[in-house]
Amino acid sequence: MDSVEKGAATSVSNPRGRPSRGRPPKLQRNSRGGQGRGVEKPPHMAALILARGGSKGIPLKNIKHLAGVPLIGWVLRAALDSGVFQSVWVSTDHDEIENVAKQFGAQVHRRSSEASKDSSTSLDAIIEFLNYHNEVDIIGNIQATSPCLHPTDLQKVAEMIREEGYDSVFSVVRRHQFRWGEIQKGVREMTEPLNLNPAKRPRRQDWDGELYENGSFYFAKRHLIEMGYLQGGKMAYYEMRAEHSVDIDVDIDWPIAEQRVLRFGYFGKEKLKEIKLFVCNIDGCFTNGHIYVSGDQKEIISYDVKDAIGISLLKKSGIEVRLISERACSKQTLSSLKLDCKMEVNVPDKLAVVDEWRKEMGLCWKEVAYLGNEVSDEECLKKAGLSGVPADACAAAQKAVGYICKCSGGRGALREFAEHIFLLMEKIVNSCQK
């Protein structure tokens, strides 16, 4: 269970340098009145994710794919599914980030160049947003680089603000780390313990540890932000589970982050089901889409051995594998691959064929995984319980899926998606055991 502890205080501190120290730009006051005969509208709580395009470390980090999903998509999914926000916004200065935000269902505030500088603070961007949105009473500033955030965390914090009267709530994580004073030449020649007695070092289980801000979110009421603060007034922290406290800016590199997200991330409202049928488009997924014609007019295609192994692994795990194509592929060429899969070619309506396969096997769509790359795959991708596309899939197909491969079609995408399925199936098994 999530542990939630509250510590009220009247002092104000800056979260990891996020609020600016000086006098903030002047905000326009919220002049909303009651609706009809003195009835007030409930406070408008808005989620705001700040996603500037000019990341210094990793170019366009906020939309770089993490476990097949744009990084910002993980927190947007959690914010939207929490159901506690009247609006969910992304503040950005970049067209590609805007497109991804809208794809996930968020609204977009185009940040000014003044609030997009390297020297601009989060508070500068929040104040600019509020100046354009007089209807907003409470801001939930969610960090785009916290991909293991869950809706339940946001729901509990919203309750603390709305029901328990807190003016600001921020996320923390408990750490069991001993701290020592820094040695500085000419100032301090010896280190000293800061939070322990070396003569009586406590065991981990005998020590409660300490609370650290993890930067996942900062909630604050409008009047606080008007004074230039994100933390203050009646103030509390919300303790997140350690496994959900992932900050890609600070803690871990990308590959490790992917493993953490696959194990502890939030994948949506509907529970994952065990996959029983895997369907793959032939052209552009199993193959790279190139067709070669020999001198005697025979069709030659190219595929990656890794993808053939991926099919074999799926079958060994008990998953039925079938291939499909809208093109009149040469069955002789396909049979020569010896994949031992049912194939259907020259298919004008892929959705109808896959739906028939599903019904034959007595499956629901949540038990179907689909790998496609074209407009003709779009409906199947939307219906399938797990959907993926190669890195070079068309834009329409990419918008319809939950997983975008790093590999291109015919270059390992099928094997990559198969491994993604295996990881998610392991997640289902682990959750059942718990």
Side-chain angles (χ1 to χ4, degrees), residues 282-283 286-287 291 297-301 323-347 353 357:
I282 296 172
D283 300 308
F286 179 67
T287 75
I291 302 170
Q297 301 301 303
K298 287 185 178 178
E299 184 179 290
I300 302 170
I301 59 174
L323 303 179
I324 194 168
S325 176
E326 61 189 305
R327 192 174 62 83
C329 307
S330 167
K331 287 197 172 183
Q332 182 180 356
T333 302
L334 292 172
S335 62
S336 67
L337 302 178
K338 298 180 180 179
L339 297 172
D340 194 24
C341 295
K342 183 172 182 177
M343 304 178 192
E344 196 74 40
V345 300
N346 198 22
V347 176
V353 171
W357 286 344

Side-chain angles (χ1 to χ4, degrees), residues 87 157 334:
S87 57
V157 173
L334 292 172

Side-chain angles (χ1 to χ4, degrees), residues 214-387:
N214 67 358
S216 284
F217 53 76
Y218 298 86
F219 281 62
K221 290 182 178 178
R222 187 182 188 108
H223 74 270
L224 265 183
I225 300 171
E226 288 176 344
M227 295 188 292
Y229 303 123
L230 283 180
Q231 294 165 302
K234 184 180 178 184
M235 179 167 51
Y237 59 75
Y238 174 85
E239 185 178 346
M240 289 179 64
R241 293 168 57 176
E243 59 266 33
H244 292 169
S245 183
V246 177
D247 183 354
I248 291 180
D249 269 343
V250 177
D251 290 337
I252 46 183
D253 60 20
W254 212 267
I256 297 174
E258 288 191 324
Q259 295 304 311
R260 288 280 293 275
V261 166
L262 287 169
R263 187 171 180 186
F264 301 115
Y266 171 70
F267 286 84
K269 289 180 179 178
E270 296 188 29
K271 289 186 177 180
L272 294 170
K273 276 187 167 286
E274 187 177 351
I275 295 300
K276 302 288 182 62
L277 171 63
F278 177 90
V279 181
C280 176
N281 186 30
I282 296 172
D283 300 308
C285 289
F286 179 67
T287 75
N288 61 8
H290 296 172
I291 302 170
Y292 306 93
V293 181
S294 65
D296 56 357
Q297 301 301 303
K298 287 185 178 178
E299 184 179 290
I300 302 170
I301 59 174
S302 170
Y303 73 98
D304 195 311
V305 172
K306 293 195 295 287
D307 291 326
I309 294 173
I311 289 176
S312 177
L313 292 172
L314 287 164
K315 289 167 64 179
K316 283 180 181 178
S317 68
I319 297 174
E320 174 79 9
V321 178
R322 298 187 179 183
L323 303 179
I324 194 168
S325 176
E326 61 189 305
R327 192 174 62 83
C329 307
S330 167
K331 287 197 172 183
Q332 182 180 356
T333 302
L334 292 172
S335 62
S336 67
L337 302 178
K338 298 180 180 179
L339 297 172
D340 194 24
C341 295
K342 183 172 182 177
M343 304 178 192
E344 196 74 40
V345 300
N346 198 22
V347 176
D349 186 350
K350 292 179 182 176
L351 180 63
V353 171
V354 177
D355 198 41
E356 185 179 333
W357 286 344
R358 173 188 69 81
K359 290 174 180 176
E360 283 175 3
M361 296 178 65
L363 306 177
C364 67
W365 273 103
K366 291 296 175 186
E367 296 170 294
V368 177
Y370 192 96
L371 182 66
N373 68 310
E374 275 298 343
V375 174
S376 59
D377 298 307
E378 189 175 353
E379 293 306 313
C380 290
L381 292 168
K382 288 178 179 177
K383 287 270 191 181
L386 288 178
S387 57

Side-chain angles (χ1 to χ4, degrees), residues 1-7 149 152-154 156-157 160 169-176 204 207-214 216-217 236-245:
M1 294 292 292
D2 291 342
S3 171
V4 182
E5 299 183 36
K6 311 170 187 73
L149 182 66
T152 50
D153 297 319
L154 301 173
K156 290 173 183 176
V157 173
M160 291 169 70
V169 181
F170 56 94
S171 58
V172 300
V173 65
R174 189 175 299 274
R175 290 179 180 164
H176 294 76
R204 181 185 176 89
W207 182 42
D208 289 338
E210 296 180 327
L211 297 175
Y212 291 79
E213 288 186 25
N214 67 358
S216 284
F217 53 76
Y237 59 75
Y238 174 85
E239 185 178 346
M240 289 179 64
R241 293 168 57 176
E243 59 266 33
H244 292 169
S245 183

